[in-house]
Amino acid sequence: MNVGVAHSEVNPNTRVMNSRGMWLTYALGVGMLHIVLLSIPFFSVPVAWTLTNVIHNLGMYVFLHAVKGTPFETPDQGKARLLTHWEQLDYGVQFTSSRKFFTISPIILYFLASFYTKYDPTHFVLNTTSLLTVLIPKLPQLHGVRLFGINKY
């Protein structure tokens, strides 16, 4: 029995990405970021696409793979305290629809950025590095793994 807890989920942090309209809101947020970057006069189209990709991936890395714990008090004996949001997502079940969406979205953004930068080597290296920093932590083999003790506690 969850006394003093206002929600019925053991960890509501795990269901937020499956809520109604979340994917649309996410896509609109990325689109708005790109429009804001395009409206800055001294940014060319390739620079705006690369910045959109890099800012998106940096935000995704911080919010999904670096920040640990949950803003809610959970009755799970502190298990969520040691997990990142990605590891908590869908209670750790791999290959769910929300995990697939958040894996495919940076890939699609990478393809768009690469296309609109006309595969310029500088932009290509920046976009590829940015993509790898968000795709590698999403691998099922790295669930709960802390490289070199980083983010262990």
Side-chain angles (χ1 to χ4, degrees):
M1 182 170 171
N2 294 334
V3 177
V5 179
H7 46 76
S8 60
E9 291 284 335
V10 174
N11 183 357
N13 209 24
T14 62
R15 296 285 183 195
V16 70
M17 296 301 183
N18 289 327
S19 61
R20 187 178 191 126
M22 181 61 190
W23 295 359
L24 179 62
T25 304
Y26 175 83
L28 289 175
V30 173
M32 288 300 296
L33 170 66
H34 183 65
I35 289 171
V36 166
L37 290 173
L38 278 175
S39 67
I40 298 174
F42 53 87
F43 283 168
S44 65
V45 172
V47 169
W49 274 106
T50 299
L51 282 175
T52 302
N53 187 33
V54 170
I55 291 170
H56 167 267
N57 290 342
L58 179 68
M60 180 176 265
Y61 179 79
V62 169
F63 291 119
L64 289 181
H65 303 294
V67 176
K68 292 169 55 173
T70 177
F72 311 104
E73 184 177 340
T74 59
D76 64 355
Q77 303 293 320
K79 292 176 186 170
R81 178 178 63 84
L82 301 173
L83 298 174
T84 64
H85 190 80
W86 180 258
E87 293 165 346
Q88 294 176 38
L89 191 63
D90 295 329
Y91 297 105
V93 176
Q94 301 294 323
F95 305 114
T96 59
S97 58
S98 58
R99 282 182 180 254
K100 289 176 185 176
F101 175 78
F102 287 108
T103 301
I104 289 174
S105 59
I107 295 171
I108 291 171
L109 191 57
Y110 169 76
F111 284 147
L112 287 169
S114 295
F115 175 76
Y116 283 106
T117 59
K118 296 180 176 61
Y119 303 98
D120 178 66
T122 306
H123 291 283
F124 190 75
V125 168
L126 285 171
N127 288 324
T128 303
T129 304
S130 175
L131 176 69
L132 291 177
T133 59
V134 294
L135 281 187
I136 290 174
K138 287 179 173 58
L139 293 173
Q141 295 84 357
L142 294 177
H143 184 81
V145 175
R146 303 291 181 257
L147 297 176
F148 310 115
I150 297 172
N151 208 9
K152 185 177 180 182
Y153 300 108

